[in-house]
Amino acid sequence: MTKAIVMGSFVVHEAHPEHGLGRVIAMGAFATRVLFSHGGLRVFRADDTQRLRSVASPPAADIAVLEEKERVLAAGAADPPSGDPPKAAAPKKRARKSALPA
């Protein structure tokens, strides 16, 4: 049986393990905010938190990374995900105007 997720819990996202280790930083009636070591800040609806899996206390180095990210977030700085940047879509070509017969 898994532990209940509460404020301060360490979690992983089953569908996105590339986000790395996460820590629950806020819980509300409708949403839970989780700060991930590689995935940045993510918000989960109340009915979507079952995808989060609680984990045992991680190594001190992982906790230090999350504490630093939380400090930066509290200072108001943006914390972009540290994964690969999204690929920009190629611009669409415009259709040629057909010449009207004179």
Side-chain angles (χ1 to χ4, degrees), residues 27-81:
M27 291 187 80
F30 301 107
T32 299
R33 294 175 192 264
V34 180
L35 184 61
F36 288 98
S37 58
H38 299 293
L41 181 64
R42 303 289 173 162
V43 179
F44 296 90
R45 292 187 317 243
D47 60 344
D48 207 21
T49 56
Q50 62 268 28
R51 298 180 129 200
L52 297 174
R53 187 171 38 99
S54 184
V55 295
S57 186
D62 292 342
I63 294 173
V65 167
L66 287 171
E67 286 175 349
E68 176 62 19
K69 285 186 165 282
E70 195 169 347
R71 186 191 64 74
V72 169
L73 185 67
D79 181 34

Side-chain angles (χ1 to χ4, degrees), residues 75-86:
D79 181 34
S82 59
D84 293 332

